[in-house]
Amino acid sequence: MNSTYSPDLAVPADKRVFGARDLFSLWFSLGIGLMVLQTGALLAPGLGLVGSLLAIFLGTAVGVLLLAAVGVIGSDTGLSAMAALKLSLGRHGASLPAVLNLLQLIGWGSFEIIVMRDAASLLGARAFGEGGPFANPLLWTLAFGALATLLAVSGPLTFVRRILRKWGIWLLLGACLWLTWNLFARADLAALWAQAGDGSMPLAVGFDIAIAMPLSWLPLIADYSRFGKRARAVFGGTALGFFIGNFWLMSLGVAYTLAFAPSGDVNALLLALAGAGLGIPLLLILLDESENAFADIHSAAVSTSLLSGLKVEHLALAIGVICTLIACFAPLAQYQNFLLLIGSVFAPLFGVVLVDHFILRRRRAPAEPGALRWPALLAWLGGVSTYHLLANFYPEVGATLPALALAGLLQLLLGRAFSYGRETVRA
């Protein structure tokens, strides 16, 4: 089965094979990972268990609704994520987000490989000793880089239908259940529930960190939802799958940190997780992290293909090598600011895109996208400026949703003022 299509062309209707089950499996898997566990660890000290769970629930719930709505744009148009942006920003206007998306996806892909490397090295040292070959970080960097690149070259249809849907999702579900059972068996849940945070993080900042996880997938969801059969299946499968996976794992990250690694040290958290079920659940989640890296590398290749015209498969191979090389030399640093930076750029952008697609164009394609759509670019800029203004001067308010809402409102006003979206044809 040919699993790659030109990013600039709509996927033919007879090739749109993903149903709700396929998309649930994909987004449940992408909502799970070591990164998600470690994001929960970021929230734990400042908010405590109750505050963290509230921030995770609200951030994930709002985030998946936005994510699923953007996924519908992919199923409506059959276009890749960055190609669909041309409908709102114009042919040349979409180049800037494509470049930004490429840079952030290379960063995410490298981060994923680093996280997998560090966890596997720790597990290898714990099982076979510090000096053994399985504790060698370089070995694991090359191994996980090669695995993620291979999956990215194979494409989403092969990965979702032949691997993830058939058996991958069941292994992940078993791993999550085992980690949950281990927590209930070993931790004093009443004491955890009563444990308050130290107040170093406002709830609004916790919300912004939690919502950044689903929003980080906004610039690439249409690369996969364009293979969806029906909009309803795309929305439901995406929202439900990602919400369950992300809320579950991030909450476990908070609880395991408070119970077994109160210092918030990453290695202490991993060792606590490795103590459950001989480390098998953590190993399965570790392997699942390669699926997140696959998505980053594949979508980075799609964005680059739009800019260069080269084949996605060839670009996926090259980008996979780049991510692996970065992972070989870059340490795993604090990435809270990285998550918030993503929100500052892409949340306002998709506020513009959602209003343009669902309200101004009413899910129809423009007869001619044009070279640049300045009103949309101005609305995006207004949203980004609002985000940084609120984040720097009013952090207790939160920045993500206000920036997205303002960008969408500006798009609505400017779009109607410039007769935006009136001349359309059915997508």
Side-chain angles (χ1 to χ4, degrees):
M1 179 187 295
N2 182 14
S3 59
T4 56
Y5 296 88
S6 170
D8 249 338
L9 299 177
V11 175
D14 62 335
K15 300 297 184 183
R16 301 184 190 183
V17 296
F18 283 173
R21 181 182 168 188
D22 295 302
L23 291 157
F24 178 91
S25 300
L26 174 63
W27 290 103
F28 177 78
S29 169
L30 294 178
I32 288 175
L34 293 175
M35 282 276 213
V36 180
L37 286 164
Q38 291 176 8
T39 301
L42 290 177
L43 303 177
L47 293 173
L49 182 60
V50 176
S52 295
L53 292 180
L54 179 60
I56 294 168
F57 178 83
L58 294 175
T60 304
V62 175
V64 298
L65 292 177
L66 294 170
L67 180 68
V70 175
V72 170
I73 297 176
S75 66
D76 282 347
T77 63
L79 294 171
S80 67
M82 293 299 108
L85 287 183
K86 294 181 180 181
L87 305 180
S88 297
L89 304 180
R91 295 188 305 274
H92 300 317
S95 298
L96 177 57
V99 171
L100 293 175
N101 189 45
L102 171 62
L103 294 176
Q104 69 114 358
L105 288 174
I106 289 176
W108 270 120
S110 303
F111 267 131
E112 301 285 2
I113 295 171
I114 290 169
V115 167
M116 290 187 285
R117 172 198 71 197
D118 289 353
S121 299
L122 189 68
L123 287 175
R126 186 172 185 266
F128 302 103
E130 292 286 347
F134 292 105
N136 188 330
L138 179 61
L139 170 67
W140 291 114
T141 301
L142 296 176
F144 286 119
L147 176 60
T149 303
L150 177 63
L151 292 174
V153 171
S154 70
L157 294 184
T158 298
F159 169 67
V160 173
R161 307 219 90 189
R162 297 184 181 179
I163 299 175
L164 189 57
R165 175 173 163 167
K166 286 187 176 180
W167 51 268
I169 189 172
W170 301 110
L171 294 178
L172 285 177
L173 185 60
C176 294
L177 288 171
W178 201 328
L179 287 177
T180 304
W181 175 84
N182 180 72
L183 176 70
F184 277 68
R186 294 176 56 201
D188 184 345
L189 296 181
L192 286 182
W193 188 260
Q195 186 172 338
D198 59 20
S200 60
M201 179 181 291
L203 179 64
V205 174
F207 174 87
D208 276 356
I209 292 175
I211 199 175
M213 295 304 291
L215 294 193
S216 69
W217 295 103
L218 288 179
L220 58 150
I221 182 173
D223 296 343
Y224 310 97
S225 65
R226 63 181 177 147
F227 297 101
K229 295 178 184 177
R230 292 177 297 276
R232 181 179 298 179
V234 168
F235 188 92
T238 299
L240 187 61
F242 197 93
F243 179 84
I244 293 175
N246 196 75
F247 179 77
W248 194 351
L249 260 288
M250 201 179 295
S251 299
L252 283 178
V254 173
Y256 268 84
T257 299
L258 292 174
F260 308 115
S263 66
D265 179 70
V266 171
N267 286 343
L269 174 61
L270 290 174
L271 286 173
L273 292 166
L278 302 175
I280 294 174
L282 179 60
L283 180 61
L284 293 175
I285 291 175
L286 174 62
L287 292 174
D288 174 68
E289 199 77 20
S290 63
E291 299 165 7
N292 294 35
F294 136 77
D296 294 326
I297 294 170
H298 174 76
S299 287
V302 171
S303 290
T304 309
S305 179
L306 284 168
L307 298 169
S308 66
L310 299 175
K311 287 188 176 181
V312 172
E313 307 96 296
H314 299 163
L315 290 167
L317 178 60
I319 291 170
V321 171
I322 292 171
C323 289
T324 304
L325 289 174
I326 293 174
C328 285
F329 300 104
L332 177 59
Q334 171 61 265
Y335 64 97
Q336 175 178 339
N337 291 335
F338 183 55
L339 289 175
L340 295 176
L341 181 62
I342 290 170
S344 76
V345 175
F346 288 107
L349 172 62
F350 284 93
V352 171
V353 170
L354 287 169
V355 167
D356 181 54
H357 182 79
F358 288 102
I359 299 178
L360 294 177
R361 292 191 281 110
R362 299 182 182 181
R363 300 175 67 181
R364 300 168 185 245
E368 174 53 53
L372 281 175
R373 288 195 158 181
W374 288 107
L377 293 172
L378 290 174
W380 180 23
L381 178 61
V384 173
S385 301
T386 299
Y387 184 101
H388 287 282
L389 176 67
L390 292 175
N392 288 317
F393 295 103
Y394 306 99
E396 69 280 359
V397 175
T400 301
L401 280 187
L404 184 147
L406 179 67
L409 178 61
L410 288 174
Q411 170 67 4
L412 180 63
L413 297 175
L414 293 173
R416 287 183 171 169
F418 287 88
S419 301
Y420 221 46
R422 290 182 184 173
E423 294 183 1
T424 59
V425 295
R426 255 219 204 255

PDB file of all heavy atoms in Angstrom, residues 59 62 71 110 123 185 220 227 265 269 279 316 325 332 336 358 372 376 378 387 390:
ATOM      1  N   GLY A  59      -6.772  21.652  30.863  1.00  0.00           N
ATOM      2  CA  GLY A  59      -5.896  21.894  29.718  1.00  0.00           C
ATOM      3  C   GLY A  59      -6.053  20.848  28.637  1.00  0.00           C
ATOM      4  O   GLY A  59      -6.120  21.167  27.452  1.00  0.00           O
ATOM      5  N   VAL A  62      -9.775  21.124  26.902  1.00  0.00           N
ATOM      6  CA  VAL A  62      -9.860  22.223  25.936  1.00  0.00           C
ATOM      7  C   VAL A  62      -8.933  21.965  24.759  1.00  0.00           C
ATOM      8  O   VAL A  62      -9.290  22.184  23.593  1.00  0.00           O
ATOM      9  CB  VAL A  62      -9.508  23.566  26.617  1.00  0.00           C
ATOM     10  CG1 VAL A  62      -9.482  24.692  25.589  1.00  0.00           C
ATOM     11  CG2 VAL A  62     -10.519  23.881  27.713  1.00  0.00           C
ATOM     12  N   GLY A  71      -8.308  18.795  13.165  1.00  0.00           N
ATOM     13  CA  GLY A  71      -8.279  17.538  12.410  1.00  0.00           C
ATOM     14  C   GLY A  71      -9.385  17.460  11.379  1.00  0.00           C
ATOM     15  O   GLY A  71      -9.193  16.905  10.286  1.00  0.00           O
ATOM     16  N   SER A 110      14.151  15.461  18.084  1.00  0.00           N
ATOM     17  CA  SER A 110      15.410  15.291  18.818  1.00  0.00           C
ATOM     18  C   SER A 110      15.148  15.062  20.294  1.00  0.00           C
ATOM     19  O   SER A 110      15.777  14.197  20.931  1.00  0.00           O
ATOM     20  CB  SER A 110      16.295  16.528  18.623  1.00  0.00           C
ATOM     21  OG  SER A 110      16.545  16.771  17.254  1.00  0.00           O
ATOM     22  N   LEU A 123      17.667   2.141  32.321  1.00  0.00           N
ATOM     23  CA  LEU A 123      17.173   0.775  32.477  1.00  0.00           C
ATOM     24  C   LEU A 123      18.274  -0.242  32.226  1.00  0.00           C
ATOM     25  O   LEU A 123      18.385  -1.262  32.920  1.00  0.00           O
ATOM     26  CB  LEU A 123      15.997   0.537  31.527  1.00  0.00           C
ATOM     27  CG  LEU A 123      14.666   1.201  31.876  1.00  0.00           C
ATOM     28  CD1 LEU A 123      13.654   0.972  30.769  1.00  0.00           C
ATOM     29  CD2 LEU A 123      14.131   0.665  33.195  1.00  0.00           C
ATOM     30  N   ALA A 185      -1.038   0.245  44.647  1.00  0.00           N
ATOM     31  CA  ALA A 185      -0.551  -0.764  45.582  1.00  0.00           C
ATOM     32  C   ALA A 185       0.545  -0.230  46.496  1.00  0.00           C
ATOM     33  O   ALA A 185       0.644  -0.636  47.664  1.00  0.00           O
ATOM     34  CB  ALA A 185      -0.030  -1.981  44.812  1.00  0.00           C
ATOM     35  N   LEU A 220       0.373  19.540  12.801  1.00  0.00           N
ATOM     36  CA  LEU A 220       0.595  18.339  11.993  1.00  0.00           C
ATOM     37  C   LEU A 220      -0.572  17.364  11.974  1.00  0.00           C
ATOM     38  O   LEU A 220      -0.523  16.374  11.252  1.00  0.00           O
ATOM     39  CB  LEU A 220       1.856  17.592  12.470  1.00  0.00           C
ATOM     40  CG  LEU A 220       1.942  17.125  13.911  1.00  0.00           C
ATOM     41  CD1 LEU A 220       2.815  15.858  13.976  1.00  0.00           C
ATOM     42  CD2 LEU A 220       2.595  18.164  14.785  1.00  0.00           C
ATOM     43  N   PHE A 227      -6.509  11.401   5.889  1.00  0.00           N
ATOM     44  CA  PHE A 227      -6.851  10.042   5.491  1.00  0.00           C
ATOM     45  C   PHE A 227      -8.143   9.571   6.151  1.00  0.00           C
ATOM     46  O   PHE A 227      -8.510   8.406   6.019  1.00  0.00           O
ATOM     47  CB  PHE A 227      -5.709   9.082   5.856  1.00  0.00           C
ATOM     48  CG  PHE A 227      -4.421   9.363   5.139  1.00  0.00           C
ATOM     49  CD1 PHE A 227      -3.391  10.038   5.766  1.00  0.00           C
ATOM     50  CD2 PHE A 227      -4.238   8.971   3.819  1.00  0.00           C
ATOM     51  CE1 PHE A 227      -2.205  10.309   5.106  1.00  0.00           C
ATOM     52  CE2 PHE A 227      -3.051   9.237   3.152  1.00  0.00           C
ATOM     53  CZ  PHE A 227      -2.030   9.903   3.795  1.00  0.00           C
ATOM     54  N   ASP A 265      13.460  15.045  40.300  1.00  0.00           N
ATOM     55  CA  ASP A 265      14.568  14.592  39.471  1.00  0.00           C
ATOM     56  C   ASP A 265      14.076  13.568  38.452  1.00  0.00           C
ATOM     57  O   ASP A 265      13.353  12.618  38.796  1.00  0.00           O
ATOM     58  CB  ASP A 265      15.651  13.971  40.350  1.00  0.00           C
ATOM     59  CG  ASP A 265      16.830  13.467  39.542  1.00  0.00           C
ATOM     60  OD1 ASP A 265      17.581  14.294  39.009  1.00  0.00           O
ATOM     61  OD2 ASP A 265      16.973  12.233  39.446  1.00  0.00           O
ATOM     62  N   LEU A 269      12.384   9.726  38.976  1.00  0.00           N
ATOM     63  CA  LEU A 269      11.069   9.365  38.453  1.00  0.00           C
ATOM     64  C   LEU A 269      11.158   8.101  37.604  1.00  0.00           C
ATOM     65  O   LEU A 269      10.336   7.184  37.729  1.00  0.00           O
ATOM     66  CB  LEU A 269      10.497  10.520  37.627  1.00  0.00           C
ATOM     67  CG  LEU A 269       9.181  10.243  36.897  1.00  0.00           C
ATOM     68  CD1 LEU A 269       8.064   9.890  37.869  1.00  0.00           C
ATOM     69  CD2 LEU A 269       8.779  11.448  36.042  1.00  0.00           C
ATOM     70  N   GLY A 279       9.944  -3.394  35.239  1.00  0.00           N
ATOM     71  CA  GLY A 279      10.292  -2.396  34.232  1.00  0.00           C
ATOM     72  C   GLY A 279       9.620  -2.613  32.893  1.00  0.00           C
ATOM     73  O   GLY A 279       9.823  -1.817  31.959  1.00  0.00           O
ATOM     74  N   ALA A 316      12.107  12.453   4.893  1.00  0.00           N
ATOM     75  CA  ALA A 316      11.973  11.810   6.200  1.00  0.00           C
ATOM     76  C   ALA A 316      13.282  11.133   6.601  1.00  0.00           C
ATOM     77  O   ALA A 316      13.694  11.182   7.768  1.00  0.00           O
ATOM     78  CB  ALA A 316      10.838  10.795   6.176  1.00  0.00           C
ATOM     79  N   LEU A 325      21.464  13.037  14.951  1.00  0.00           N
ATOM     80  CA  LEU A 325      22.738  13.718  15.195  1.00  0.00           C
ATOM     81  C   LEU A 325      22.599  14.767  16.294  1.00  0.00           C
ATOM     82  O   LEU A 325      23.479  14.905  17.158  1.00  0.00           O
ATOM     83  CB  LEU A 325      23.238  14.366  13.901  1.00  0.00           C
ATOM     84  CG  LEU A 325      23.738  13.415  12.818  1.00  0.00           C
ATOM     85  CD1 LEU A 325      24.062  14.186  11.540  1.00  0.00           C
ATOM     86  CD2 LEU A 325      24.960  12.643  13.306  1.00  0.00           C
ATOM     87  N   LEU A 332      19.532  16.636  27.629  1.00  0.00           N
ATOM     88  CA  LEU A 332      18.110  16.852  27.895  1.00  0.00           C
ATOM     89  C   LEU A 332      17.964  17.997  28.886  1.00  0.00           C
ATOM     90  O   LEU A 332      18.285  17.872  30.051  1.00  0.00           O
ATOM     91  CB  LEU A 332      17.459  15.586  28.466  1.00  0.00           C
ATOM     92  CG  LEU A 332      15.979  15.708  28.850  1.00  0.00           C
ATOM     93  CD1 LEU A 332      15.145  16.109  27.644  1.00  0.00           C
ATOM     94  CD2 LEU A 332      15.462  14.430  29.452  1.00  0.00           C
ATOM     95  N   GLN A 336      10.134  23.290  29.733  1.00  0.00           N
ATOM     96  CA  GLN A 336       8.903  24.011  30.037  1.00  0.00           C
ATOM     97  C   GLN A 336       8.759  25.241  29.152  1.00  0.00           C
ATOM     98  O   GLN A 336       7.690  25.499  28.583  1.00  0.00           O
ATOM     99  CB  GLN A 336       8.896  24.421  31.503  1.00  0.00           C
ATOM    100  CG  GLN A 336       7.699  25.281  31.899  1.00  0.00           C
ATOM    101  CD  GLN A 336       7.716  25.611  33.387  1.00  0.00           C
ATOM    102  OE1 GLN A 336       8.350  24.925  34.174  1.00  0.00           O
ATOM    103  NE2 GLN A 336       7.017  26.670  33.763  1.00  0.00           N
ATOM    104  N   PHE A 358     -14.307  27.404   9.597  1.00  0.00           N
ATOM    105  CA  PHE A 358     -15.650  27.023  10.036  1.00  0.00           C
ATOM    106  C   PHE A 358     -16.665  28.163   9.984  1.00  0.00           C
ATOM    107  O   PHE A 358     -17.857  27.907   9.794  1.00  0.00           O
ATOM    108  CB  PHE A 358     -15.587  26.464  11.466  1.00  0.00           C
ATOM    109  CG  PHE A 358     -14.967  25.099  11.547  1.00  0.00           C
ATOM    110  CD1 PHE A 358     -13.655  24.952  11.971  1.00  0.00           C
ATOM    111  CD2 PHE A 358     -15.673  23.971  11.183  1.00  0.00           C
ATOM    112  CE1 PHE A 358     -13.065  23.701  12.048  1.00  0.00           C
ATOM    113  CE2 PHE A 358     -15.100  22.712  11.254  1.00  0.00           C
ATOM    114  CZ  PHE A 358     -13.788  22.583  11.686  1.00  0.00           C
ATOM    115  N   LEU A 372      -0.971  36.230  -0.665  1.00  0.00           N
ATOM    116  CA  LEU A 372      -0.893  36.589   0.753  1.00  0.00           C
ATOM    117  C   LEU A 372      -2.254  37.061   1.223  1.00  0.00           C
ATOM    118  O   LEU A 372      -2.936  37.803   0.517  1.00  0.00           O
ATOM    119  CB  LEU A 372       0.120  37.713   0.984  1.00  0.00           C
ATOM    120  CG  LEU A 372       1.607  37.370   1.017  1.00  0.00           C
ATOM    121  CD1 LEU A 372       2.408  38.655   1.144  1.00  0.00           C
ATOM    122  CD2 LEU A 372       1.929  36.430   2.167  1.00  0.00           C
ATOM    123  N   ALA A 376      -5.356  37.822   7.746  1.00  0.00           N
ATOM    124  CA  ALA A 376      -5.088  36.638   8.559  1.00  0.00           C
ATOM    125  C   ALA A 376      -3.729  36.731   9.240  1.00  0.00           C
ATOM    126  O   ALA A 376      -3.574  36.361  10.418  1.00  0.00           O
ATOM    127  CB  ALA A 376      -5.163  35.385   7.695  1.00  0.00           C
ATOM    128  N   LEU A 378      -2.168  39.492  10.071  1.00  0.00           N
ATOM    129  CA  LEU A 378      -2.274  40.503  11.130  1.00  0.00           C
ATOM    130  C   LEU A 378      -2.996  39.938  12.357  1.00  0.00           C
ATOM    131  O   LEU A 378      -2.616  40.236  13.499  1.00  0.00           O
ATOM    132  CB  LEU A 378      -3.009  41.734  10.596  1.00  0.00           C
ATOM    133  CG  LEU A 378      -2.243  42.581   9.572  1.00  0.00           C
ATOM    134  CD1 LEU A 378      -3.155  43.682   9.017  1.00  0.00           C
ATOM    135  CD2 LEU A 378      -0.992  43.188  10.201  1.00  0.00           C
ATOM    136  N   TYR A 387      -0.302  36.876  23.589  1.00  0.00           N
ATOM    137  CA  TYR A 387       0.235  35.775  24.385  1.00  0.00           C
ATOM    138  C   TYR A 387       1.419  36.249  25.227  1.00  0.00           C
ATOM    139  O   TYR A 387       1.471  36.025  26.443  1.00  0.00           O
ATOM    140  CB  TYR A 387       0.663  34.613  23.487  1.00  0.00           C
ATOM    141  CG  TYR A 387       1.136  33.402  24.262  1.00  0.00           C
ATOM    142  CD1 TYR A 387       0.303  32.316  24.451  1.00  0.00           C
ATOM    143  CD2 TYR A 387       2.403  33.356  24.824  1.00  0.00           C
ATOM    144  CE1 TYR A 387       0.718  31.207  25.171  1.00  0.00           C
ATOM    145  CE2 TYR A 387       2.833  32.265  25.556  1.00  0.00           C
ATOM    146  CZ  TYR A 387       1.986  31.189  25.725  1.00  0.00           C
ATOM    147  OH  TYR A 387       2.409  30.109  26.449  1.00  0.00           O
ATOM    148  N   LEU A 390       0.511  38.814  28.053  1.00  0.00           N
ATOM    149  CA  LEU A 390      -0.111  38.196  29.222  1.00  0.00           C
ATOM    150  C   LEU A 390       0.884  37.314  29.975  1.00  0.00           C
ATOM    151  O   LEU A 390       0.904  37.309  31.211  1.00  0.00           O
ATOM    152  CB  LEU A 390      -1.325  37.362  28.793  1.00  0.00           C
ATOM    153  CG  LEU A 390      -2.517  38.156  28.246  1.00  0.00           C
ATOM    154  CD1 LEU A 390      -3.601  37.207  27.738  1.00  0.00           C
ATOM    155  CD2 LEU A 390      -3.092  39.072  29.319  1.00  0.00           C
TER     156      LEU A 390
END
